[in-house]
Amino acid sequence: MITHRSYAVEPWTVRETELSLDVLAQSESVFALSNGHVGWRGNLDEGEPHGLPGSYLNGVYEVHPLPYAEAGYGYPESGQTIINITNGKVLRLLVDDEPFDLRYGRLISHERVLDLRRGVMERTCEWCSPAGTRIRVRATRMVSLTQRSIAAVAYEVEPVDCRARVVVQSELVANEQLPESDGDPRTASALRSPLEPEQDFASGHRLRLVHRTRHSGLRVAVAADHVVTGPEHTTTDSESHPDLARLTIASVLEPGRKLRVEKLVAHGWSGARSLPAMSDQVDAALAAAAHSGWTGLADEQRAYLDDFWARSDVEVDGEEEIQQAVRFGLFHVLQAGARAEERAIPAKGLTGSGYDGHAFWDTEMFVLPVLTYTSPDAVAEALRWRQNTLPAARERAAQLGLRGAAFPWRTIEGQEGSGYWPAGTAAFHVNAAIARAVVRHVAATGDEDFEVDTGLELLVETARLWRSLGHHDHRGTFHIDGVTGPDEYSALADDNTYTNLMARGNLLAAADLVERHPKEAERLGADDEESASWRDAAEAMNIPYNGELRVHEQSAGFTRYQRWDFAGTRADQYPLMLHFPYFDLYRKQVIKQADLVLAMYTCGAEFDEEHTARNFAYYEPLTVRDSSLSACVQAVIAAQTSHLRLAYAYTVEAALMDLEDLEHNTRDGLHIASLAGTWMALVAGFGGTRRAGETLRFSPRLPEKFSRLAFILQFRGRRLRVEITQRSATYSLVDGEPLTIRHHGAPVTLRPDAPEVRPVPPPVHRPAPEQPPHRKPHVH
């Protein structure tokens, strides 16, 4: 996208300087606005042309059957798909009876700007109708971060050089026609007209539609109110139908005179509340928004984001594209989780329908680390959602013959939404990612109430899963067999190192909590005997190692597999999963995404410097990065092992995943985990940031492309600022009590108003590792 002629590279905005229909669908994802509860894709105000219409409410889905050629016990029977709810964005315009459609007439200028500091998307354009009438349109759109159910549009139209008769049709539209699926398994299942009408209303400037999903039984209410400012004799008229409510505004404008429409849209849904209650809910939300008014909403939005950037900004000197990309990423990560409030954070956020709107382990392993150190309240809410889904996870574990809770590989509401697929349904490591997120959040915030109320139950139930999933052999060694680790090109493997190490940490953390909170643990049926069995399993955990090669194995026996024929694989045959059978992938040494390498990041204390370097060199030539989750992890370990140029290249790839549409599916929504991974690559990679118990350690080194890197972290009630140059690192305690950190292993005590400067040692020289043919990292 940003290499397209229409896009500019700027530090605080994403600017599109002309309308480009060839990247329209991608731009709709890039310009999407959300608050974690409501999501609006960046569709044009008039609704057409469009790539993928999209208005979403977090948690609103429809169910559909999951067909199998041959059924089997334990196969999930139904899937869940996010649906396009009632669209409140639409403002159609007619000029002297001709529709304002950018495919016709003459488009003189067109610009859209995503403002990352103000949290709005602005659009300005000039258009000449086929009959020769020239008009100027300005629109500003926001999804409120302070008023959870509210989105809003301010829309202005004025004629440029002659009188014009203009009509604006502000609409609520349900059951919009969606494009056909292209067959890519990463796209959403197409559901036709999923909303059944229950109520339509129009009176004055107020519109409302209420629908219910046909099968999941969720009630969705959307309402709109308007403030219309225009010349005398401007008229309005409203009407409603089952799938359409419309306010029509008509006026005659002289050159330079404007018609302005401020549209407030309220959204609500429930699986339990009645039709009158839902109508009242959205009407009340509109009343609150009208009290603030457009200006008040905009002021609240700016204040919210001023506070966010003050505690989370990352500054990069030397690479303008990376500076823009990391702020773009932080902004969308915030939008994905800010007001989710005990709902999931989907892999695409609320920017598109890709992956059916499901949440995966991406949330806990990639997104929540960023939010932990920037917006920790959002982390607590996301983990409370996992806690709320424990009944379904316990039921799934019991179905699989296991104890505890087996969280789903992909879901919206908590039930497993993945059809039987070894690389998905055997990926039990999602449970350890949830446990790790709990431990990280408590360590970073010191929130003991959360630890007791939410963390304890999650850790106990996931520990029970591991203890029942694994077994001790005749020598007492503990094994976890038949699982799939992060690498989805290796399925049903024994003793996946990443899974075993993460499970070990889960078991020990759960045992520690049971010991710290015995009364609360007793209510969960956990006692000293059970926690002792967890410790026994953790201490006896098998970690596969090839002594001849002196590398850790991704899983038991992995290094003896035949290597994939990389030389015989063409560039156009990636991603491999779309061109080769999984059977062939599963039995070869080829890695979809960082697996053992991810283990070295998440469980770094288990690997010394020599093994980290040797492991990275071994697995790098096998890793094809057919997943957007890989580049950021490889960037972190490349930086740790002093391959700074390679780390920089992987950082670029993670950062530009969507801005350059590297995986050719940005049209379906943004890759929120890769956006979060940009922060990870910079802060954990070049910043060398790691959590060490209740403190932090840093081992910073910059690539030659960067002259300076600075970032801010929230940690245990403190705000730290780290600034790194090629030669030194400066640590500042912006506010909070003194804290002792470590810089390249040496302790440094930070006190308010007393920055500490330390030299950055030179990197260790090592031969650069190779990548598979055609899979060198992207560098613009």
Side-chain angles (χ1 to χ4, degrees):
M1 295 287 295
I2 62 174
T3 57
H4 192 282
R5 66 182 186 279
S6 303
Y7 288 82
V9 178
E10 300 172 347
W12 284 103
T13 63
V14 177
R15 185 183 304 272
E16 179 192 59
T17 58
E18 62 183 66
L19 184 67
S20 303
L21 296 181
D22 56 326
V23 292
L24 183 60
Q26 294 90 327
S27 74
E28 291 169 349
S29 299
V30 169
F31 288 117
L33 295 174
S34 170
N35 61 14
H37 175 60
V38 177
W40 275 6
R41 278 177 63 80
N43 306 116
L44 299 177
D45 300 281
E46 54 274 15
E48 296 179 12
H50 60 242
L52 174 66
S55 302
Y56 309 109
L57 275 172
N58 195 346
V60 174
Y61 67 95
E62 186 58 294
V63 295
H64 57 89
L66 290 174
Y68 300 97
E70 184 175 341
Y73 177 79
Y75 288 13
E77 295 180 358
S78 62
Q80 304 165 353
T81 295
I82 192 172
I83 62 169
N84 181 34
I85 63 155
T86 304
N87 181 2
K89 301 188 293 289
V90 177
L91 287 148
R92 305 191 195 278
L93 172 63
L94 286 87
V95 180
D96 291 336
D97 300 324
E98 292 185 292
F100 173 52
D101 188 321
L102 301 183
R103 293 167 293 190
Y104 305 101
R106 183 165 59 94
L107 186 59
I108 299 165
S109 65
H110 192 278
E111 180 176 272
R112 289 189 291 176
V113 178
L114 179 65
D115 190 319
L116 306 177
R117 285 185 289 197
R118 294 167 53 223
V120 298
M121 192 265 280
E122 296 179 309
R123 178 190 183 204
T124 59
C125 64
E126 285 195 17
W127 176 76
C128 186
S129 74
T133 304
R134 185 171 172 179
I135 62 162
R136 182 177 296 117
V137 174
R138 296 184 180 90
T140 304
R141 180 185 297 177
M142 78 171 79
V143 173
S144 176
L145 292 162
T146 59
Q147 300 193 34
R148 185 173 182 246
S149 67
I150 297 298
V153 184
Y155 190 85
E156 290 183 350
V157 56
E158 64 173 309
V160 175
D161 51 14
C162 64
R163 171 189 283 196
R165 183 184 300 107
V166 300
V167 176
V168 174
Q169 296 174 310
S170 175
E171 298 181 347
L172 303 179
V173 185
N175 290 317
E176 294 176 284
Q177 184 175 353
L178 299 177
E180 296 289 339
S181 173
D182 60 4
D184 189 321
R186 297 167 293 186
T187 59
S189 301
L191 300 179
R192 302 298 174 198
S193 300
L195 294 170
E196 294 185 323
E198 289 192 318
Q199 182 191 81
D200 60 271
F201 169 85
S203 179
H205 291 175
R206 182 71 62 91
L207 309 173
R208 183 172 63 247
L209 293 178
V210 182
H211 287 76
R212 194 166 187 177
T213 55
R214 297 180 186 277
H215 303 292
S216 57
L218 304 179
R219 182 167 282 119
V220 177
V222 179
D225 203 355
H226 303 77
V227 176
V228 179
T229 306
E232 190 177 0
H233 305 305
T234 297
T235 62
T236 62
D237 183 62
S238 59
E239 61 182 307
S240 68
H241 309 278
D243 283 344
L244 173 69
R246 176 189 293 135
L247 175 67
T248 301
I249 306 154
S251 188
V252 176
L253 301 178
E254 299 292 341
R257 295 295 302 274
K258 300 176 183 177
L259 175 65
R260 179 179 172 90
V261 181
E262 295 174 358
K263 181 179 186 180
L264 305 177
V265 186
H267 307 75
W269 73 271
S270 175
R273 304 191 72 204
S274 68
L275 174 60
M278 293 305 303
S279 297
D280 292 348
Q281 177 181 325
V282 290
D283 284 350
L286 280 180
H291 184 266
S292 299
W294 172 268
T295 301
L297 286 170
D299 290 345
E300 292 171 13
Q301 191 88 334
R302 178 61 188 256
Y304 186 102
L305 284 164
D306 282 347
D307 178 63
F308 171 72
W309 291 116
R311 65 176 186 266
S312 64
D313 192 23
V314 176
E315 302 171 51
V316 181
D317 288 355
E319 283 294 305
E320 293 180 345
E321 289 181 352
I322 302 302
Q323 178 64 87
Q324 180 188 47
V326 67
R327 286 179 175 147
F328 173 78
L330 281 167
F331 178 74
H332 273 291
V333 169
L334 174 71
Q335 288 199 130
R339 303 302 304 273
E341 297 177 8
E342 298 192 18
R343 301 301 313 174
I345 298 178
K348 296 284 189 177
L350 297 177
T351 68
S353 57
Y355 293 112
D356 288 305
H358 288 183
F360 297 76
W361 71 303
D362 307 24
T363 300
E364 285 79 15
M365 189 47 61
F366 294 87
V367 178
L368 294 195
V370 181
L371 293 173
T372 296
Y373 299 108
T374 60
S375 299
D377 289 347
V379 176
E381 295 293 334
L383 291 172
R384 289 190 185 102
W385 168 72
R386 287 292 193 183
Q387 183 183 26
N388 292 339
T389 66
L390 270 169
R394 291 190 185 102
E395 182 180 347
R396 179 63 174 162
Q399 187 181 41
L400 298 174
L402 303 169
R403 296 192 65 224
F407 285 98
W409 178 237
R410 56 187 298 170
T411 191
I412 294 177
E413 186 62 18
Q415 295 79 21
E416 179 62 77
S418 175
Y420 176 73
W421 177 49
T425 49
F428 289 97
H429 61 85
V430 61
N431 301 279
I434 294 166
R436 175 60 61 94
V438 168
V439 173
R440 184 195 309 116
H441 178 70
V442 173
T445 63
D447 188 343
E448 293 186 6
D449 290 339
F450 173 87
E451 179 179 80
V452 173
D453 296 340
T454 299
L456 176 63
E457 187 174 22
L458 288 171
L459 286 173
V460 164
E461 296 293 16
T462 48
R464 284 171 171 159
L465 175 83
W466 296 119
R467 185 61 189 83
S468 63
L469 183 62
H471 68 98
H472 290 278
D473 66 14
H474 65 282
R475 293 186 296 270
T477 304
F478 193 77
H479 301 272
I480 302 176
D481 296 331
V483 301
T484 300
D487 169 29
E488 295 165 2
Y489 288 169
S490 300
L492 303 181
D494 295 340
D495 287 328
N496 172 256
T497 294
Y498 171 85
T499 301
N500 285 15
L501 287 175
M502 291 287 287
R504 174 195 281 174
N506 189 163
L507 291 161
L508 293 175
D512 289 345
L513 280 197
V514 168
E515 185 176 322
R516 283 205 300 273
H517 307 291
K519 291 183 179 179
E520 292 81 0
E522 185 178 359
R523 288 198 290 269
L524 298 173
D527 54 23
D528 291 342
E529 182 178 354
E530 185 176 18
S531 65
S533 74
W534 299 341
R535 291 190 188 278
D536 288 344
E539 291 166 2
M541 189 72 69
N542 186 48
I543 308 300
Y545 182 76
N546 185 316
E548 183 179 352
L549 296 174
R550 293 191 297 161
V551 297
H552 290 85
E553 294 201 287
Q554 179 170 292
S555 58
F558 180 82
T559 55
R560 71 166 180 78
Y561 288 177
Q562 179 184 355
R563 287 206 171 200
W564 183 263
D565 181 13
F566 293 107
T569 304
R570 303 188 310 271
D572 62 358
Q573 291 180 299
Y574 292 95
L576 299 179
M577 61 189 178
L578 301 183
H579 298 92
F580 297 94
Y582 272 105
F583 165 73
D584 205 17
L585 296 168
Y586 289 161
R587 62 196 190 96
K588 301 286 178 60
Q589 286 194 63
V590 56
I591 300 170
K592 181 181 181 182
Q593 64 202 76
D595 189 312
L596 192 283
V597 171
L598 179 60
M600 295 193 295
Y601 170 49
T602 59
C603 307
E606 306 289 340
F607 303 89
D608 59 28
E609 182 178 346
E610 179 184 356
H611 277 106
T612 300
R614 191 179 295 117
N615 288 340
F616 185 66
Y618 183 86
Y619 287 98
E620 182 72 359
L622 304 177
T623 306
V624 296
R625 300 189 323 286
D626 283 348
S627 166
S628 62
L629 303 182
S630 196
C632 58
V633 179
Q634 289 169 268
V636 171
I637 301 303
Q640 181 179 332
T641 53
S642 295
H643 300 298
L644 297 178
R645 289 185 179 180
L646 181 60
Y648 165 78
Y650 281 136
T651 301
V652 170
E653 184 171 299
L656 303 185
M657 186 64 64
D658 290 308
L659 288 173
E660 290 197 4
D661 194 15
L662 297 182
E663 291 208 339
H664 310 295
N665 60 354
T666 297
R667 64 186 182 276
D668 303 318
L670 301 178
H671 299 79
I672 301 299
S674 187
L675 296 177
T678 308
W679 181 94
M680 179 192 297
L682 294 170
V683 174
F686 299 123
T689 307
R690 302 288 190 277
R691 179 180 58 81
E694 296 184 358
T695 189
L696 296 170
R697 56 186 178 89
F698 303 88
S699 301
R701 287 192 182 94
L702 295 187
E704 58 189 14
K705 295 276 190 177
F706 294 173
S707 58
R708 186 179 71 96
L709 170 67
F711 53 87
I712 302 169
L713 301 173
Q714 310 301 301
F715 188 77
R716 301 191 74 83
R718 303 168 177 88
R719 185 171 301 186
L720 284 73
R721 187 173 190 275
V722 181
E723 184 170 356
I724 308 160
T725 66
Q726 290 288 345
R727 296 189 176 185
S728 66
T730 302
Y731 302 97
S732 303
L733 185 61
V734 178
D735 56 54
E737 297 296 318
L739 176 70
T740 298
I741 62 169
R742 302 191 82 83
H743 168 81
H744 282 282
V748 179
T749 300
L750 303 181
R751 296 179 175 83
D753 303 318
E756 295 286 343
V757 182
R758 295 293 185 274
V760 171
V764 177
H765 176 72
R766 293 188 175 95
E770 292 294 321
Q771 291 75 47
H774 312 300
R775 302 307 288 166
K776 288 186 180 297
H778 172 88
V779 178
H780 173 58

